[in-house]
Amino acid sequence: MAAATDGLRSPAGPLIGRSVPRLDGFHKATGRFAYGTDVVVAGMLHGRVARSPYPHARIRAIDTSAALATPGVVAVVTGRDLPERRFGALVKDETVLAVDVVRYVGQPVAAVAALAVEAAIEAAARIAVEYDPLPAVDTPEAALRAGAPLVHEAWTTYVAHPQLIRAGNVCGAATIAKGDPSRGLADADHVFEDVFTTEPVHQAYLEPRVAIAAWEPPGVLTVHSNTQLPFEAQTVLADLLGIPPGRVRVITTGIGGAFGGKLRVGVEHIAAVLAQRVGRPVRIVLTMAEEFAAAYPRHAMRITLRTGVRRDGTIVAKEAHALLDAGAFGGSSPGLPSVATLVLAGPYRIPHLSIEATSVYTHKQNFGSYRAPTGPQCAFAVESQMDMIARRLRLDPLEFRLRNIVRDGDEGPSGQVFGKVSLEAALRKAAAAIGWGHRRQPHHGKGLACSWWTTTGGPSAVYARLHADGTATLATGCAEIGTGALTAVAQIFADDLGLPVENVTLISADTLATPYDHGAQGSRSTFAVGNAARAAAADIRRQVLGLAAEVLEARVSDLGLRDGRVYVRGTPSRQVELGDVVRLAMQRHGGLVSSGTFVAPATPYKTDCVSGHFYPAFHAPSFHAHAAEVVVDPETGTVRALRYVVAQDVGKAINPRLIEGQIEGGVVQGLGQALRERIAYQGAYPLVHNFSDYALPRCGDVPQITSILIEEPSDSGPHGARGVGEPPIITPPAAIANAVHDAVGARVTDLPLSPERVLRAMRGRLEGAA
């Protein structure tokens, strides 16, 4: 297996930096692409889940007789029918079906397998469950009060990562401590304290979660699912079912949107236990009502910032406290305070820091890893306060930021040392593009915001093979989740081998047929899989040139690869078709095959700065600045975005059009969180059950979006690329909030910036002035 440091790499060729079409684009555009909901298996049954109507209750009895009597029903399974094994990413706190106690509205209680979907629906509705309702905690603040009900009374018995900080309803916490914050605040000329809140928002993918599970001799489970992480699903299923992972095959289907919402298992485990019970394949497709009741939306957060500043606008100290609503089970939540602390520090030079973030159980659905988890909430707080401080000190918000941003060679909040930092360029380019400082019309405003983000690590491996017809196959365990990342990987691979990108066939995300990959998450796919593909390409290139040197009677160092041919530099007429070289390799030793691996190098940090951390430094960090122009209706408080600019350091734009698509999509999602979207609750009861209840942005809400790609190469990305998928969603809420304040002088510190909140803030400002 070739390592990512192997030589014989070619320099960036004609494919790098080109906006080649997506490899899956034609099939998606023509309706021929198969998504998870399109997959069927012969003889399959249909599954349906019965769910809790209470946020917290004890299960006294479950009567399945009426469900079993429903025509077409083959089996009904309850929690009592299954071994009580628990699962979870960092703490194993969840069972496949509820046993004894339900902990949120929508928690699975029983499951049905039937010959037809209609029969499964009817049978699930006929399952009679007797509940004793119990007191529920609906906010982290309520869950942390003395005497509050424990969401998990037996939390001390759960298997958990030893690094986790847990206590009662706290399922995870992380801190950053640097310098002497108390002294820094005491020495500051001004200390500003502000509180910000955000509400939960849904990923709003169009295709719900789906899985088809089938058991095959000799006891092998095959699952087709639209999961983002097939290898994690394989491990979880094997653990829950008590079988070796090698007897579980997970195949990722086409994915109709995910955005982090399909990282953790959703229905795969329920389909698997039903299929095991009935001895036939079982398919479960969730409804959108189920998706809104029992998915992994973005966390609601409450953030308190206390920042000390000198008269000249230099930030000297910051204290930050953040609470994350984890919901009823841990999922991704125990590890996310680590990420939150880094974003809360901001991309600023601050010598004294005390930052803590805490994930807290409540009796709500599980909250999870929506694109850039914790990023938008924390950046909203940090960048709103930056503007608030600038206005209070009568400083220009742009100049205030430029005075404090990190630069080349500075230390990050946990002690990591930055290489090249492009943040000043991003801020100046975004400000110039939006016309910062130009006169504005009444009720129009402009806002700036900036932040930083990571390129998630984790290993990637690929298999590669050249064929006698001059085409190639590249196999990766990473799923294509709709971003086009694997097209960029194919570009990288093809460029190194002098092939047209359309000559590369991708095989992805099959735990039996492809090598391990850490998964399509955290802006890592092109970065990590691209590096692994370069390693495999370098090995194949070595083999090709070695054989071609014999055929052409030339030195390897004199050979080049281009357009499916090997040629002698300086004498291009001396060449051999790549297919002929492959045929020679087949005769000699079975063909031209290779593999490549990549593991992101660790980013050094100061261990004494952090505690409870699972993500103590941002790898290959990217820096970005956003600028927005809005108009506010003074009569209704309605905000309309007019123009939006993103200046983002992408390292190297492997495929500019794909990156621009990521930026535009991320901005639209960010505008939704900024202005409209929220999963409303009455206590612990959700009030949103479908897209008709959920205020997604409409086409008419989307402004003109300008993308400015800054290319400051990273040290470890393929051709210097950085992660690009998540940053665009992080800063829109802050940029919009700052633009609203600029337009009407009213500050809203709670998301979303609904017309009611904006109007209330405007009236409060007028009343205060009076």
mmCIF file of all heavy atoms in Angstrom, residues 194-230:
data_model
loop_
_atom_site.group_PDB
_atom_site.id
_atom_site.type_symbol
_atom_site.label_atom_id
_atom_site.label_comp_id
_atom_site.label_asym_id
_atom_site.label_seq_id
_atom_site.Cartn_x
_atom_site.Cartn_y
_atom_site.Cartn_z
ATOM 1 N N ASP A 194 -22.564 40.179 27.164
ATOM 2 C CA ASP A 194 -23.761 40.032 26.348
ATOM 3 C C ASP A 194 -24.169 38.567 26.301
ATOM 4 O O ASP A 194 -23.329 37.660 26.416
ATOM 5 C CB ASP A 194 -23.502 40.539 24.923
ATOM 6 C CG ASP A 194 -23.103 42.006 24.902
ATOM 7 O OD1 ASP A 194 -23.980 42.859 25.125
ATOM 8 O OD2 ASP A 194 -21.896 42.283 24.687
ATOM 9 N N VAL A 195 -25.473 38.342 26.113
ATOM 10 C CA VAL A 195 -26.029 36.990 26.078
ATOM 11 C C VAL A 195 -26.737 36.797 24.737
ATOM 12 O O VAL A 195 -27.473 37.680 24.273
ATOM 13 C CB VAL A 195 -27.011 36.756 27.238
ATOM 14 C CG1 VAL A 195 -27.601 35.341 27.159
ATOM 15 C CG2 VAL A 195 -26.318 36.967 28.578
ATOM 16 N N PHE A 196 -26.524 35.621 24.142
ATOM 17 C CA PHE A 196 -27.095 35.298 22.837
ATOM 18 C C PHE A 196 -27.757 33.925 22.914
ATOM 19 O O PHE A 196 -27.263 33.031 23.601
ATOM 20 C CB PHE A 196 -26.008 35.296 21.761
ATOM 21 C CG PHE A 196 -25.235 36.579 21.681
ATOM 22 C CD1 PHE A 196 -24.126 36.796 22.493
ATOM 23 C CD2 PHE A 196 -25.631 37.580 20.814
ATOM 24 C CE1 PHE A 196 -23.419 37.989 22.434
ATOM 25 C CE2 PHE A 196 -24.936 38.786 20.752
ATOM 26 C CZ PHE A 196 -23.823 38.988 21.563
ATOM 27 N N THR A 197 -28.861 33.773 22.208
ATOM 28 C CA THR A 197 -29.529 32.475 22.163
ATOM 29 C C THR A 197 -29.848 32.096 20.721
ATOM 30 O O THR A 197 -30.054 32.962 19.861
ATOM 31 C CB THR A 197 -30.842 32.459 22.979
ATOM 32 O OG1 THR A 197 -31.814 33.290 22.332
ATOM 33 C CG2 THR A 197 -30.612 32.932 24.402
ATOM 34 N N THR A 198 -29.859 30.816 20.475
ATOM 35 C CA THR A 198 -30.257 30.293 19.165
ATOM 36 C C THR A 198 -31.239 29.148 19.380
ATOM 37 O O THR A 198 -31.245 28.516 20.447
ATOM 38 C CB THR A 198 -29.056 29.789 18.351
ATOM 39 O OG1 THR A 198 -28.559 28.583 18.945
ATOM 40 C CG2 THR A 198 -27.947 30.823 18.323
ATOM 41 N N GLU A 199 -32.034 28.872 18.379
ATOM 42 C CA GLU A 199 -33.023 27.799 18.473
ATOM 43 C C GLU A 199 -32.635 26.649 17.545
ATOM 44 O O GLU A 199 -31.831 26.825 16.625
ATOM 45 C CB GLU A 199 -34.409 28.345 18.118
ATOM 46 C CG GLU A 199 -34.877 29.438 19.068
ATOM 47 C CD GLU A 199 -36.345 29.773 18.915
ATOM 48 O OE1 GLU A 199 -37.170 28.848 18.938
ATOM 49 O OE2 GLU A 199 -36.658 30.970 18.755
ATOM 50 N N PRO A 200 -33.188 25.463 17.782
ATOM 51 C CA PRO A 200 -32.829 24.328 16.924
ATOM 52 C C PRO A 200 -33.342 24.521 15.500
ATOM 53 O O PRO A 200 -34.426 25.068 15.287
ATOM 54 C CB PRO A 200 -33.501 23.131 17.602
ATOM 55 C CG PRO A 200 -34.586 23.719 18.443
ATOM 56 C CD PRO A 200 -34.110 25.065 18.866
ATOM 57 N N VAL A 201 -32.545 24.074 14.538
ATOM 58 C CA VAL A 201 -32.941 24.118 13.128
ATOM 59 C C VAL A 201 -32.639 22.768 12.494
ATOM 60 O O VAL A 201 -31.717 22.055 12.896
ATOM 61 C CB VAL A 201 -32.224 25.248 12.352
ATOM 62 C CG1 VAL A 201 -32.693 26.601 12.837
ATOM 63 C CG2 VAL A 201 -30.713 25.145 12.485
ATOM 64 N N HIS A 202 -33.428 22.430 11.499
ATOM 65 C CA HIS A 202 -33.342 21.114 10.857
ATOM 66 C C HIS A 202 -32.540 21.195 9.565
ATOM 67 O O HIS A 202 -32.560 22.216 8.877
ATOM 68 C CB HIS A 202 -34.754 20.597 10.557
ATOM 69 C CG HIS A 202 -34.827 19.122 10.287
ATOM 70 N ND1 HIS A 202 -34.503 18.580 9.069
ATOM 71 C CD2 HIS A 202 -35.180 18.079 11.081
ATOM 72 C CE1 HIS A 202 -34.654 17.260 9.114
ATOM 73 N NE2 HIS A 202 -35.063 16.928 10.322
ATOM 74 N N GLN A 203 -31.868 20.108 9.220
ATOM 75 C CA GLN A 203 -31.095 20.062 7.978
ATOM 76 C C GLN A 203 -31.982 20.178 6.743
ATOM 77 O O GLN A 203 -31.507 20.591 5.676
ATOM 78 C CB GLN A 203 -30.300 18.747 7.906
ATOM 79 C CG GLN A 203 -29.178 18.635 8.931
ATOM 80 C CD GLN A 203 -29.642 18.030 10.243
ATOM 81 O OE1 GLN A 203 -30.848 17.938 10.505
ATOM 82 N NE2 GLN A 203 -28.710 17.606 11.080
ATOM 83 N N ALA A 204 -33.229 19.779 6.857
ATOM 84 C CA ALA A 204 -34.206 19.936 5.769
ATOM 85 C C ALA A 204 -33.761 19.258 4.480
ATOM 86 O O ALA A 204 -33.979 19.777 3.382
ATOM 87 C CB ALA A 204 -34.517 21.415 5.522
ATOM 88 N N TYR A 205 -33.145 18.090 4.595
ATOM 89 C CA TYR A 205 -32.852 17.298 3.402
ATOM 90 C C TYR A 205 -34.170 16.811 2.807
ATOM 91 O O TYR A 205 -35.141 16.548 3.512
ATOM 92 C CB TYR A 205 -31.936 16.125 3.724
ATOM 93 C CG TYR A 205 -32.148 15.483 5.077
ATOM 94 C CD1 TYR A 205 -33.232 14.651 5.320
ATOM 95 C CD2 TYR A 205 -31.274 15.734 6.123
ATOM 96 C CE1 TYR A 205 -33.434 14.070 6.569
ATOM 97 C CE2 TYR A 205 -31.462 15.161 7.376
ATOM 98 C CZ TYR A 205 -32.539 14.322 7.589
ATOM 99 O OH TYR A 205 -32.740 13.747 8.822
ATOM 100 N N LEU A 206 -34.214 16.691 1.497
ATOM 101 C CA LEU A 206 -35.465 16.336 0.832
ATOM 102 C C LEU A 206 -35.765 14.849 0.911
ATOM 103 O O LEU A 206 -36.927 14.448 0.872
ATOM 104 C CB LEU A 206 -35.429 16.788 -0.630
ATOM 105 C CG LEU A 206 -35.336 18.303 -0.848
ATOM 106 C CD1 LEU A 206 -35.337 18.620 -2.335
ATOM 107 C CD2 LEU A 206 -36.473 19.026 -0.145
ATOM 108 N N GLU A 207 -34.727 14.026 0.982
ATOM 109 C CA GLU A 207 -34.934 12.582 1.068
ATOM 110 C C GLU A 207 -34.822 12.145 2.529
ATOM 111 O O GLU A 207 -33.794 12.363 3.165
ATOM 112 C CB GLU A 207 -33.893 11.837 0.246
ATOM 113 C CG GLU A 207 -34.089 10.318 0.303
ATOM 114 C CD GLU A 207 -32.883 9.546 -0.221
ATOM 115 O OE1 GLU A 207 -31.737 9.983 0.019
ATOM 116 O OE2 GLU A 207 -33.093 8.504 -0.852
ATOM 117 N N PRO A 208 -35.861 11.523 3.074
ATOM 118 C CA PRO A 208 -35.776 11.053 4.465
ATOM 119 C C PRO A 208 -34.794 9.904 4.594
ATOM 120 O O PRO A 208 -34.322 9.334 3.592
ATOM 121 C CB PRO A 208 -37.207 10.605 4.775
ATOM 122 C CG PRO A 208 -37.768 10.227 3.445
ATOM 123 C CD PRO A 208 -37.158 11.174 2.458
ATOM 124 N N ARG A 209 -34.480 9.534 5.814
ATOM 125 C CA ARG A 209 -33.595 8.392 6.043
ATOM 126 C C ARG A 209 -34.313 7.097 5.666
ATOM 127 O O ARG A 209 -35.509 6.940 5.911
ATOM 128 C CB ARG A 209 -33.144 8.369 7.502
ATOM 129 C CG ARG A 209 -32.129 9.463 7.822
ATOM 130 C CD ARG A 209 -31.892 9.605 9.303
ATOM 131 N NE ARG A 209 -33.076 10.114 9.961
ATOM 132 C CZ ARG A 209 -33.236 10.153 11.278
ATOM 133 N NH1 ARG A 209 -32.289 9.690 12.065
ATOM 134 N NH2 ARG A 209 -34.343 10.639 11.800
ATOM 135 N N VAL A 210 -33.532 6.193 5.082
ATOM 136 C CA VAL A 210 -34.097 4.941 4.585
ATOM 137 C C VAL A 210 -33.058 3.852 4.753
ATOM 138 O O VAL A 210 -31.850 4.101 4.656
ATOM 139 C CB VAL A 210 -34.523 5.072 3.095
ATOM 140 C CG1 VAL A 210 -33.355 5.519 2.238
ATOM 141 C CG2 VAL A 210 -35.087 3.769 2.569
ATOM 142 N N ALA A 211 -33.510 2.637 5.019
ATOM 143 C CA ALA A 211 -32.611 1.484 5.087
ATOM 144 C C ALA A 211 -33.360 0.228 4.674
ATOM 145 O O ALA A 211 -34.542 0.071 4.984
ATOM 146 C CB ALA A 211 -32.045 1.318 6.499
ATOM 147 N N ILE A 212 -32.652 -0.653 3.973
ATOM 148 C CA ILE A 212 -33.149 -2.002 3.664
ATOM 149 C C ILE A 212 -32.145 -2.983 4.255
ATOM 150 O O ILE A 212 -30.955 -2.940 3.916
ATOM 151 C CB ILE A 212 -33.281 -2.248 2.157
ATOM 152 C CG1 ILE A 212 -34.204 -1.206 1.514
ATOM 153 C CG2 ILE A 212 -33.802 -3.650 1.879
ATOM 154 C CD1 ILE A 212 -34.259 -1.309 0.001
ATOM 155 N N ALA A 213 -32.608 -3.835 5.150
ATOM 156 C CA ALA A 213 -31.749 -4.814 5.805
ATOM 157 C C ALA A 213 -32.135 -6.217 5.371
ATOM 158 O O ALA A 213 -33.327 -6.544 5.302
ATOM 159 C CB ALA A 213 -31.855 -4.682 7.325
ATOM 160 N N ALA A 214 -31.128 -7.035 5.086
ATOM 161 C CA ALA A 214 -31.380 -8.421 4.681
ATOM 162 C C ALA A 214 -30.300 -9.315 5.275
ATOM 163 O O ALA A 214 -29.107 -8.969 5.225
ATOM 164 C CB ALA A 214 -31.385 -8.541 3.159
ATOM 165 N N TRP A 215 -30.725 -10.434 5.844
ATOM 166 C CA TRP A 215 -29.792 -11.431 6.382
ATOM 167 C C TRP A 215 -29.602 -12.531 5.347
ATOM 168 O O TRP A 215 -30.564 -13.041 4.779
ATOM 169 C CB TRP A 215 -30.324 -12.019 7.683
ATOM 170 C CG TRP A 215 -30.298 -11.034 8.820
ATOM 171 C CD1 TRP A 215 -31.231 -10.082 9.104
ATOM 172 C CD2 TRP A 215 -29.274 -10.904 9.807
ATOM 173 N NE1 TRP A 215 -30.864 -9.358 10.208
ATOM 174 C CE2 TRP A 215 -29.658 -9.849 10.675
ATOM 175 C CE3 TRP A 215 -28.072 -11.574 10.060
ATOM 176 C CZ2 TRP A 215 -28.892 -9.451 11.759
ATOM 177 C CZ3 TRP A 215 -27.297 -11.185 11.148
ATOM 178 C CH2 TRP A 215 -27.704 -10.135 11.979
ATOM 179 N N GLU A 216 -28.357 -12.883 5.096
ATOM 180 C CA GLU A 216 -28.029 -13.882 4.090
ATOM 181 C C GLU A 216 -27.105 -14.938 4.710
ATOM 182 O O GLU A 216 -26.332 -14.620 5.625
ATOM 183 C CB GLU A 216 -27.332 -13.214 2.895
ATOM 184 C CG GLU A 216 -28.183 -12.124 2.242
ATOM 185 C CD GLU A 216 -27.361 -11.198 1.360
ATOM 186 O OE1 GLU A 216 -26.128 -11.316 1.383
ATOM 187 O OE2 GLU A 216 -27.963 -10.365 0.666
ATOM 188 N N PRO A 217 -27.180 -16.178 4.241
ATOM 189 C CA PRO A 217 -26.275 -17.219 4.755
ATOM 190 C C PRO A 217 -24.819 -16.804 4.492
ATOM 191 O O PRO A 217 -24.525 -16.222 3.443
ATOM 192 C CB PRO A 217 -26.657 -18.461 3.947
ATOM 193 C CG PRO A 217 -28.034 -18.168 3.421
ATOM 194 C CD PRO A 217 -28.088 -16.685 3.218
ATOM 195 N N PRO A 218 -23.883 -17.076 5.429
ATOM 196 C CA PRO A 218 -24.106 -17.722 6.743
ATOM 197 C C PRO A 218 -24.191 -16.675 7.859
ATOM 198 O O PRO A 218 -23.199 -16.426 8.538
ATOM 199 C CB PRO A 218 -22.835 -18.565 6.900
ATOM 200 C CG PRO A 218 -21.770 -17.725 6.197
ATOM 201 C CD PRO A 218 -22.451 -16.940 5.105
ATOM 202 N N GLY A 219 -25.316 -16.037 8.007
ATOM 203 C CA GLY A 219 -25.512 -15.046 9.059
ATOM 204 C C GLY A 219 -24.859 -13.711 8.777
ATOM 205 O O GLY A 219 -24.342 -13.050 9.686
ATOM 206 N N VAL A 220 -24.880 -13.305 7.511
ATOM 207 C CA VAL A 220 -24.307 -12.017 7.119
ATOM 208 C C VAL A 220 -25.440 -11.018 6.903
ATOM 209 O O VAL A 220 -26.409 -11.309 6.208
ATOM 210 C CB VAL A 220 -23.457 -12.147 5.846
ATOM 211 C CG1 VAL A 220 -22.980 -10.771 5.374
ATOM 212 C CG2 VAL A 220 -22.264 -13.063 6.094
ATOM 213 N N LEU A 221 -25.299 -9.846 7.510
ATOM 214 C CA LEU A 221 -26.289 -8.783 7.371
ATOM 215 C C LEU A 221 -25.822 -7.800 6.306
ATOM 216 O O LEU A 221 -24.702 -7.276 6.382
ATOM 217 C CB LEU A 221 -26.470 -8.057 8.702
ATOM 218 C CG LEU A 221 -27.324 -6.772 8.671
ATOM 219 C CD1 LEU A 221 -28.774 -7.091 8.341
ATOM 220 C CD2 LEU A 221 -27.218 -6.043 10.010
ATOM 221 N N THR A 222 -26.673 -7.538 5.323
ATOM 222 C CA THR A 222 -26.401 -6.512 4.311
ATOM 223 C C THR A 222 -27.432 -5.403 4.454
ATOM 224 O O THR A 222 -28.635 -5.668 4.479
ATOM 225 C CB THR A 222 -26.456 -7.096 2.891
ATOM 226 O OG1 THR A 222 -25.451 -8.106 2.768
ATOM 227 C CG2 THR A 222 -26.206 -6.012 1.851
ATOM 228 N N VAL A 223 -26.952 -4.192 4.549
ATOM 229 C CA VAL A 223 -27.830 -3.030 4.719
ATOM 230 C C VAL A 223 -27.547 -2.021 3.620
ATOM 231 O O VAL A 223 -26.393 -1.591 3.438
ATOM 232 C CB VAL A 223 -27.626 -2.373 6.106
ATOM 233 C CG1 VAL A 223 -28.501 -1.119 6.233
ATOM 234 C CG2 VAL A 223 -27.938 -3.354 7.218
ATOM 235 N N HIS A 224 -28.574 -1.650 2.882
ATOM 236 C CA HIS A 224 -28.512 -0.513 1.959
ATOM 237 C C HIS A 224 -29.110 0.681 2.691
ATOM 238 O O HIS A 224 -30.255 0.615 3.161
ATOM 239 C CB HIS A 224 -29.308 -0.787 0.682
ATOM 240 C CG HIS A 224 -28.709 -1.839 -0.203
ATOM 241 N ND1 HIS A 224 -28.857 -3.192 0.047
ATOM 242 C CD2 HIS A 224 -27.958 -1.740 -1.336
ATOM 243 C CE1 HIS A 224 -28.233 -3.876 -0.889
ATOM 244 N NE2 HIS A 224 -27.684 -3.029 -1.743
ATOM 245 N N SER A 225 -28.349 1.764 2.754
ATOM 246 C CA SER A 225 -28.800 2.907 3.557
ATOM 247 C C SER A 225 -28.239 4.189 2.970
ATOM 248 O O SER A 225 -27.163 4.189 2.344
ATOM 249 C CB SER A 225 -28.313 2.736 5.007
ATOM 250 O OG SER A 225 -28.349 3.948 5.717
ATOM 251 N N ASN A 226 -28.928 5.300 3.188
ATOM 252 C CA ASN A 226 -28.388 6.594 2.761
ATOM 253 C C ASN A 226 -27.591 7.253 3.881
ATOM 254 O O ASN A 226 -27.643 8.470 4.079
ATOM 255 C CB ASN A 226 -29.485 7.516 2.228
ATOM 256 C CG ASN A 226 -30.629 7.715 3.198
ATOM 257 O OD1 ASN A 226 -30.583 7.286 4.351
ATOM 258 N ND2 ASN A 226 -31.684 8.386 2.747
ATOM 259 N N THR A 227 -26.799 6.454 4.576
ATOM 260 C CA THR A 227 -25.940 6.959 5.638
ATOM 261 C C THR A 227 -24.715 7.669 5.070
ATOM 262 O O THR A 227 -24.195 7.313 4.010
ATOM 263 C CB THR A 227 -25.459 5.808 6.550
ATOM 264 O OG1 THR A 227 -24.549 6.320 7.536
ATOM 265 C CG2 THR A 227 -24.736 4.724 5.757
ATOM 266 N N GLN A 228 -24.224 8.660 5.788
ATOM 267 C CA GLN A 228 -22.976 9.327 5.427
ATOM 268 C C GLN A 228 -21.763 8.505 5.860
ATOM 269 O O GLN A 228 -20.680 8.670 5.296
ATOM 270 C CB GLN A 228 -22.897 10.702 6.086
ATOM 271 C CG GLN A 228 -23.904 11.711 5.562
ATOM 272 C CD GLN A 228 -23.819 13.036 6.291
ATOM 273 O OE1 GLN A 228 -24.766 13.454 6.946
ATOM 274 N NE2 GLN A 228 -22.688 13.719 6.209
ATOM 275 N N LEU A 229 -21.925 7.663 6.881
ATOM 276 C CA LEU A 229 -20.785 6.957 7.481
ATOM 277 C C LEU A 229 -21.027 5.452 7.478
ATOM 278 O O LEU A 229 -21.401 4.868 8.499
ATOM 279 C CB LEU A 229 -20.552 7.444 8.914
ATOM 280 C CG LEU A 229 -20.322 8.944 9.129
ATOM 281 C CD1 LEU A 229 -20.054 9.236 10.599
ATOM 282 C CD2 LEU A 229 -19.169 9.451 8.259
ATOM 283 N N PRO A 230 -20.818 4.775 6.361
ATOM 284 C CA PRO A 230 -21.096 3.339 6.315
ATOM 285 C C PRO A 230 -20.247 2.525 7.283
ATOM 286 O O PRO A 230 -20.725 1.529 7.834
ATOM 287 C CB PRO A 230 -20.801 2.966 4.859
ATOM 288 C CG PRO A 230 -19.900 4.049 4.352
ATOM 289 C CD PRO A 230 -20.317 5.289 5.070
#
